[in-house]
mmCIF file of all heavy atoms in Angstrom:
data_model
loop_
_atom_site.group_PDB
_atom_site.id
_atom_site.type_symbol
_atom_site.label_atom_id
_atom_site.label_comp_id
_atom_site.label_asym_id
_atom_site.label_seq_id
_atom_site.Cartn_x
_atom_site.Cartn_y
_atom_site.Cartn_z
ATOM 1 N N MET A 229 169.733 60.158 65.228
ATOM 2 C CA MET A 229 169.982 58.900 65.906
ATOM 3 C C MET A 229 169.493 58.950 67.351
ATOM 4 O O MET A 229 168.933 57.989 67.846
ATOM 5 C CB MET A 229 171.482 58.603 65.835
ATOM 6 C CG MET A 229 171.817 57.231 66.339
ATOM 7 S SD MET A 229 171.062 55.994 65.288
ATOM 8 C CE MET A 229 172.258 54.743 65.357
ATOM 9 N N LYS A 230 169.734 60.106 68.022
ATOM 10 C CA LYS A 230 169.287 60.249 69.406
ATOM 11 C C LYS A 230 167.762 60.191 69.489
ATOM 12 O O LYS A 230 167.210 59.639 70.424
ATOM 13 C CB LYS A 230 169.795 61.545 70.019
ATOM 14 C CG LYS A 230 171.256 61.515 70.364
ATOM 15 C CD LYS A 230 171.661 62.798 71.056
ATOM 16 C CE LYS A 230 173.129 62.765 71.414
ATOM 17 N NZ LYS A 230 173.553 63.979 72.085
ATOM 18 N N LYS A 231 167.081 60.805 68.483
ATOM 19 C CA LYS A 231 165.624 60.795 68.479
ATOM 20 C C LYS A 231 165.105 59.367 68.348
ATOM 21 O O LYS A 231 164.131 58.989 68.993
ATOM 22 C CB LYS A 231 165.072 61.658 67.341
ATOM 23 C CG LYS A 231 165.211 63.138 67.565
ATOM 24 C CD LYS A 231 164.608 63.908 66.427
ATOM 25 C CE LYS A 231 164.789 65.404 66.637
ATOM 26 N NZ LYS A 231 164.215 66.168 65.532
ATOM 27 N N LEU A 232 165.775 58.583 67.503
ATOM 28 C CA LEU A 232 165.354 57.204 67.301
ATOM 29 C C LEU A 232 165.528 56.387 68.582
ATOM 30 O O LEU A 232 164.641 55.636 68.974
ATOM 31 C CB LEU A 232 166.145 56.569 66.151
ATOM 32 C CG LEU A 232 165.752 55.145 65.785
ATOM 33 C CD1 LEU A 232 164.284 55.091 65.382
ATOM 34 C CD2 LEU A 232 166.619 54.632 64.666
ATOM 35 N N SER A 233 166.660 56.542 69.256
ATOM 36 C CA SER A 233 166.881 55.772 70.482
ATOM 37 C C SER A 233 165.929 56.229 71.593
ATOM 38 O O SER A 233 165.467 55.423 72.389
ATOM 39 C CB SER A 233 168.338 55.870 70.947
ATOM 40 O OG SER A 233 168.664 57.203 71.257
ATOM 41 N N LEU A 234 165.637 57.527 71.642
ATOM 42 C CA LEU A 234 164.680 58.020 72.623
ATOM 43 C C LEU A 234 163.290 57.456 72.335
ATOM 44 O O LEU A 234 162.587 57.032 73.244
ATOM 45 C CB LEU A 234 164.639 59.557 72.607
ATOM 46 C CG LEU A 234 163.701 60.224 73.590
ATOM 47 C CD1 LEU A 234 164.086 59.852 75.023
ATOM 48 C CD2 LEU A 234 163.726 61.723 73.418
ATOM 49 N N LEU A 235 162.918 57.416 71.069
ATOM 50 C CA LEU A 235 161.637 56.860 70.664
ATOM 51 C C LEU A 235 161.557 55.374 71.022
ATOM 52 O O LEU A 235 160.554 54.903 71.541
ATOM 53 C CB LEU A 235 161.411 57.066 69.157
ATOM 54 C CG LEU A 235 160.099 56.538 68.593
ATOM 55 C CD1 LEU A 235 158.927 57.244 69.259
ATOM 56 C CD2 LEU A 235 160.045 56.723 67.107
ATOM 57 N N MET A 236 162.633 54.642 70.769
ATOM 58 C CA MET A 236 162.664 53.214 71.101
ATOM 59 C C MET A 236 162.525 53.010 72.607
ATOM 60 O O MET A 236 161.814 52.107 73.058
ATOM 61 C CB MET A 236 163.963 52.567 70.594
ATOM 62 C CG MET A 236 164.033 52.460 69.078
ATOM 63 S SD MET A 236 162.707 51.459 68.396
ATOM 64 C CE MET A 236 163.211 49.856 68.929
ATOM 65 N N MET A 237 163.183 53.867 73.396
ATOM 66 C CA MET A 237 163.105 53.742 74.842
ATOM 67 C C MET A 237 161.681 54.016 75.323
ATOM 68 O O MET A 237 161.159 53.304 76.179
ATOM 69 C CB MET A 237 164.080 54.692 75.540
ATOM 70 C CG MET A 237 164.114 54.443 77.042
ATOM 71 S SD MET A 237 165.367 55.279 77.984
ATOM 72 C CE MET A 237 166.858 54.952 77.142
ATOM 73 N N LEU A 238 161.041 55.017 74.762
ATOM 74 C CA LEU A 238 159.664 55.322 75.131
ATOM 75 C C LEU A 238 158.725 54.171 74.778
ATOM 76 O O LEU A 238 157.834 53.828 75.553
ATOM 77 C CB LEU A 238 159.187 56.606 74.451
ATOM 78 C CG LEU A 238 159.762 57.911 75.005
ATOM 79 C CD1 LEU A 238 159.344 59.085 74.131
ATOM 80 C CD2 LEU A 238 159.307 58.119 76.428
ATOM 81 N N LEU A 239 158.938 53.573 73.608
ATOM 82 C CA LEU A 239 158.115 52.434 73.214
ATOM 83 C C LEU A 239 158.319 51.249 74.150
ATOM 84 O O LEU A 239 157.372 50.553 74.505
ATOM 85 C CB LEU A 239 158.423 52.017 71.778
ATOM 86 C CG LEU A 239 157.876 52.940 70.688
ATOM 87 C CD1 LEU A 239 158.376 52.501 69.314
ATOM 88 C CD2 LEU A 239 156.366 52.957 70.721
ATOM 89 N N MET A 240 159.548 51.019 74.576
ATOM 90 C CA MET A 240 159.831 49.920 75.499
ATOM 91 C C MET A 240 159.160 50.162 76.844
ATOM 92 O O MET A 240 158.562 49.256 77.418
ATOM 93 C CB MET A 240 161.344 49.744 75.685
ATOM 94 C CG MET A 240 162.012 49.122 74.482
ATOM 95 S SD MET A 240 163.811 49.044 74.582
ATOM 96 C CE MET A 240 164.108 48.427 76.197
ATOM 97 N N VAL A 241 159.245 51.396 77.350
ATOM 98 C CA VAL A 241 158.616 51.726 78.627
ATOM 99 C C VAL A 241 157.107 51.559 78.517
ATOM 100 O O VAL A 241 156.463 50.999 79.408
ATOM 101 C CB VAL A 241 158.988 53.156 79.079
ATOM 102 C CG1 VAL A 241 158.126 53.609 80.234
ATOM 103 C CG2 VAL A 241 160.462 53.213 79.438
ATOM 104 N N ALA A 242 156.528 52.016 77.416
ATOM 105 C CA ALA A 242 155.077 51.890 77.216
ATOM 106 C C ALA A 242 154.660 50.427 77.144
ATOM 107 O O ALA A 242 153.650 50.035 77.724
ATOM 108 C CB ALA A 242 154.649 52.633 75.948
ATOM 109 N N SER A 243 155.444 49.600 76.451
ATOM 110 C CA SER A 243 155.068 48.189 76.342
ATOM 111 C C SER A 243 155.229 47.473 77.675
ATOM 112 O O SER A 243 154.429 46.616 78.016
ATOM 113 C CB SER A 243 155.874 47.490 75.243
ATOM 114 O OG SER A 243 157.247 47.471 75.580
ATOM 115 N N VAL A 244 156.248 47.815 78.458
ATOM 116 C CA VAL A 244 156.426 47.218 79.779
ATOM 117 C C VAL A 244 155.269 47.641 80.681
ATOM 118 O O VAL A 244 154.719 46.833 81.423
ATOM 119 C CB VAL A 244 157.788 47.612 80.398
ATOM 120 C CG1 VAL A 244 157.852 47.252 81.864
ATOM 121 C CG2 VAL A 244 158.917 46.946 79.631
ATOM 122 N N SER A 245 154.856 48.911 80.605
ATOM 123 C CA SER A 245 153.730 49.385 81.404
ATOM 124 C C SER A 245 152.451 48.667 81.017
ATOM 125 O O SER A 245 151.670 48.261 81.879
ATOM 126 C CB SER A 245 153.533 50.888 81.217
ATOM 127 O OG SER A 245 154.676 51.582 81.627
ATOM 128 N N SER A 246 152.219 48.484 79.728
ATOM 129 C CA SER A 246 151.027 47.776 79.262
ATOM 130 C C SER A 246 151.055 46.333 79.715
ATOM 131 O O SER A 246 150.050 45.785 80.145
ATOM 132 C CB SER A 246 150.936 47.826 77.732
ATOM 133 O OG SER A 246 150.798 49.156 77.315
ATOM 134 N N PHE A 247 152.228 45.696 79.628
ATOM 135 C CA PHE A 247 152.358 44.310 80.068
ATOM 136 C C PHE A 247 152.068 44.191 81.561
ATOM 137 O O PHE A 247 151.385 43.274 81.991
ATOM 138 C CB PHE A 247 153.768 43.791 79.750
ATOM 139 C CG PHE A 247 153.962 42.360 80.125
ATOM 140 C CD1 PHE A 247 153.375 41.353 79.374
ATOM 141 C CD2 PHE A 247 154.709 42.014 81.230
ATOM 142 C CE1 PHE A 247 153.539 40.022 79.714
ATOM 143 C CE2 PHE A 247 154.883 40.687 81.584
ATOM 144 C CZ PHE A 247 154.302 39.690 80.819
ATOM 145 N N ALA A 248 152.552 45.144 82.339
ATOM 146 C CA ALA A 248 152.312 45.123 83.785
ATOM 147 C C ALA A 248 150.816 45.237 84.076
ATOM 148 O O ALA A 248 150.307 44.559 84.966
ATOM 149 C CB ALA A 248 153.075 46.248 84.470
ATOM 150 N N LEU A 249 150.104 46.072 83.334
ATOM 151 C CA LEU A 249 148.666 46.222 83.538
ATOM 152 C C LEU A 249 147.923 44.941 83.162
ATOM 153 O O LEU A 249 146.961 44.555 83.813
ATOM 154 C CB LEU A 249 148.121 47.398 82.723
ATOM 155 C CG LEU A 249 148.506 48.786 83.218
ATOM 156 C CD1 LEU A 249 148.010 49.843 82.241
ATOM 157 C CD2 LEU A 249 147.963 49.046 84.605
ATOM 158 N N LEU A 250 148.393 44.257 82.102
ATOM 159 C CA LEU A 250 147.737 43.019 81.682
ATOM 160 C C LEU A 250 147.945 41.909 82.706
ATOM 161 O O LEU A 250 147.131 41.007 82.811
ATOM 162 C CB LEU A 250 148.283 42.578 80.319
ATOM 163 C CG LEU A 250 147.918 43.467 79.129
ATOM 164 C CD1 LEU A 250 148.613 42.976 77.873
ATOM 165 C CD2 LEU A 250 146.417 43.492 78.926
ATOM 166 N N ASN A 251 149.039 41.961 83.455
ATOM 167 C CA ASN A 251 149.341 40.918 84.424
ATOM 168 C C ASN A 251 148.746 41.183 85.799
ATOM 169 O O ASN A 251 148.986 40.420 86.724
ATOM 170 C CB ASN A 251 150.859 40.736 84.547
ATOM 171 C CG ASN A 251 151.419 40.031 83.334
ATOM 172 O OD1 ASN A 251 150.726 39.276 82.679
ATOM 173 N ND2 ASN A 251 152.673 40.285 83.033
ATOM 174 N N GLU A 252 148.009 42.260 85.957
ATOM 175 C CA GLU A 252 147.371 42.548 87.241
ATOM 176 C C GLU A 252 146.293 41.508 87.507
ATOM 177 O O GLU A 252 145.557 41.122 86.595
ATOM 178 C CB GLU A 252 146.737 43.948 87.227
ATOM 179 C CG GLU A 252 147.739 45.085 87.217
ATOM 180 C CD GLU A 252 148.567 45.170 88.481
ATOM 181 O OE1 GLU A 252 148.027 44.945 89.572
ATOM 182 O OE2 GLU A 252 149.763 45.450 88.362
ATOM 183 N N PRO A 253 146.176 41.050 88.737
ATOM 184 C CA PRO A 253 145.105 40.096 89.053
ATOM 185 C C PRO A 253 143.730 40.705 88.789
ATOM 186 O O PRO A 253 143.549 41.919 88.884
ATOM 187 C CB PRO A 253 145.297 39.847 90.551
ATOM 188 C CG PRO A 253 146.693 40.273 90.860
ATOM 189 C CD PRO A 253 147.023 41.354 89.878
ATOM 190 N N SER A 254 142.759 39.845 88.485
ATOM 191 C CA SER A 254 141.409 40.299 88.127
ATOM 192 C C SER A 254 140.728 41.060 89.257
ATOM 193 O O SER A 254 139.833 41.864 89.008
ATOM 194 C CB SER A 254 140.543 39.105 87.737
ATOM 195 O OG SER A 254 140.405 38.227 88.843
ATOM 196 N N TYR A 255 141.143 40.817 90.488
ATOM 197 C CA TYR A 255 140.508 41.471 91.639
ATOM 198 C C TYR A 255 141.198 42.785 92.015
ATOM 199 O O TYR A 255 140.737 43.494 92.884
ATOM 200 C CB TYR A 255 140.510 40.529 92.853
ATOM 201 C CG TYR A 255 141.892 40.073 93.257
ATOM 202 C CD1 TYR A 255 142.661 40.835 94.120
ATOM 203 C CD2 TYR A 255 142.423 38.903 92.762
ATOM 204 C CE1 TYR A 255 143.934 40.434 94.474
ATOM 205 C CE2 TYR A 255 143.684 38.483 93.121
ATOM 206 C CZ TYR A 255 144.434 39.250 93.972
ATOM 207 O OH TYR A 255 145.688 38.850 94.324
ATOM 208 N N GLN A 256 142.279 43.120 91.354
ATOM 209 C CA GLN A 256 143.066 44.308 91.701
ATOM 210 C C GLN A 256 142.357 45.587 91.227
ATOM 211 O O GLN A 256 141.952 45.678 90.073
ATOM 212 C CB GLN A 256 144.436 44.211 91.038
ATOM 213 C CG GLN A 256 145.422 45.235 91.499
ATOM 214 C CD GLN A 256 146.155 44.780 92.739
ATOM 215 O OE1 GLN A 256 146.297 43.599 92.973
ATOM 216 N NE2 GLN A 256 146.599 45.715 93.528
ATOM 217 N N VAL A 257 142.225 46.565 92.109
ATOM 218 C CA VAL A 257 141.683 47.861 91.723
ATOM 219 C C VAL A 257 142.832 48.751 91.248
ATOM 220 O O VAL A 257 143.994 48.479 91.536
ATOM 221 C CB VAL A 257 140.909 48.538 92.885
ATOM 222 C CG1 VAL A 257 139.654 47.764 93.223
ATOM 223 C CG2 VAL A 257 141.792 48.725 94.096
ATOM 224 N N ARG A 258 142.484 49.801 90.539
ATOM 225 C CA ARG A 258 143.522 50.722 90.062
ATOM 226 C C ARG A 258 144.228 51.366 91.245
ATOM 227 O O ARG A 258 143.594 51.629 92.279
ATOM 228 C CB ARG A 258 142.894 51.811 89.189
ATOM 229 C CG ARG A 258 142.323 51.272 87.884
ATOM 230 C CD ARG A 258 141.607 52.339 87.124
ATOM 231 N NE ARG A 258 140.365 52.670 87.847
ATOM 232 C CZ ARG A 258 139.465 53.535 87.439
ATOM 233 N NH1 ARG A 258 139.634 54.189 86.320
ATOM 234 N NH2 ARG A 258 138.389 53.769 88.144
ATOM 235 N N PRO A 259 145.525 51.634 91.100
ATOM 236 C CA PRO A 259 146.237 52.291 92.206
ATOM 237 C C PRO A 259 145.700 53.703 92.424
ATOM 238 O O PRO A 259 145.187 54.344 91.498
ATOM 239 C CB PRO A 259 147.692 52.318 91.738
ATOM 240 C CG PRO A 259 147.638 52.138 90.269
ATOM 241 C CD PRO A 259 146.381 51.376 89.957
ATOM 242 N N LEU A 260 145.819 54.168 93.635
ATOM 243 C CA LEU A 260 145.317 55.493 93.994
ATOM 244 C C LEU A 260 145.981 56.588 93.152
ATOM 245 O O LEU A 260 145.356 57.596 92.842
ATOM 246 C CB LEU A 260 145.553 55.735 95.482
ATOM 247 C CG LEU A 260 144.646 56.731 96.177
ATOM 248 C CD1 LEU A 260 143.191 56.410 95.944
ATOM 249 C CD2 LEU A 260 144.952 56.760 97.658
ATOM 250 N N SER A 261 147.217 56.374 92.753
ATOM 251 C CA SER A 261 147.936 57.359 91.941
ATOM 252 C C SER A 261 147.231 57.626 90.609
ATOM 253 O O SER A 261 147.403 58.684 90.010
ATOM 254 C CB SER A 261 149.368 56.893 91.688
ATOM 255 O OG SER A 261 149.366 55.650 91.017
ATOM 256 N N TYR A 262 146.421 56.686 90.159
ATOM 257 C CA TYR A 262 145.659 56.844 88.922
ATOM 258 C C TYR A 262 144.717 58.051 89.003
ATOM 259 O O TYR A 262 144.428 58.696 88.003
ATOM 260 C CB TYR A 262 144.862 55.562 88.654
ATOM 261 C CG TYR A 262 143.948 55.622 87.459
ATOM 262 C CD1 TYR A 262 144.407 55.318 86.189
ATOM 263 C CD2 TYR A 262 142.608 55.976 87.597
ATOM 264 C CE1 TYR A 262 143.567 55.364 85.084
ATOM 265 C CE2 TYR A 262 141.766 56.024 86.504
ATOM 266 C CZ TYR A 262 142.250 55.725 85.257
ATOM 267 O OH TYR A 262 141.422 55.784 84.175
ATOM 268 N N PHE A 263 144.230 58.365 90.193
ATOM 269 C CA PHE A 263 143.221 59.404 90.381
ATOM 270 C C PHE A 263 143.801 60.783 90.723
ATOM 271 O O PHE A 263 143.085 61.763 90.679
ATOM 272 C CB PHE A 263 142.255 58.999 91.509
ATOM 273 C CG PHE A 263 141.508 57.735 91.235
ATOM 274 C CD1 PHE A 263 141.973 56.513 91.690
ATOM 275 C CD2 PHE A 263 140.330 57.760 90.502
ATOM 276 C CE1 PHE A 263 141.288 55.347 91.435
ATOM 277 C CE2 PHE A 263 139.637 56.598 90.240
ATOM 278 C CZ PHE A 263 140.114 55.385 90.701
ATOM 279 N N VAL A 264 145.074 60.842 91.088
ATOM 280 C CA VAL A 264 145.650 62.082 91.616
ATOM 281 C C VAL A 264 145.538 63.234 90.620
ATOM 282 O O VAL A 264 145.053 64.316 90.966
ATOM 283 C CB VAL A 264 147.110 61.878 92.073
ATOM 284 C CG1 VAL A 264 147.764 63.206 92.417
ATOM 285 C CG2 VAL A 264 147.150 60.934 93.276
#
C-alpha cells in the first residue's frame, strides 16, 4: 500500500512539473538550474 501511495505521489509531482513546463511563456528560456 505504501508503494502504491508513493508511486501515486511521484506521478502527481511529475504531472504538475510537466504542466508547469507547458505553461511557460514562449519567450522563457530554461532556468539556469537545468544546466547545473
Side-chain angles (χ1 to χ4, degrees):
M229 188 64 146
K230 285 184 180 180
K231 287 182 182 180
L232 183 59
S233 62
L234 181 60
L235 180 61
M236 290 299 289
M237 187 171 310
L238 287 173
L239 286 174
M240 286 174 46
V241 168
S243 64
V244 168
S245 299
S246 297
F247 182 73
L249 288 175
L250 292 175
N251 286 333
E252 290 294 321
S254 62
Y255 58 87
Q256 190 86 26
V257 293
R258 293 175 290 183
L260 205 53
S261 59
Y262 176 87
F263 299 94
V264 171

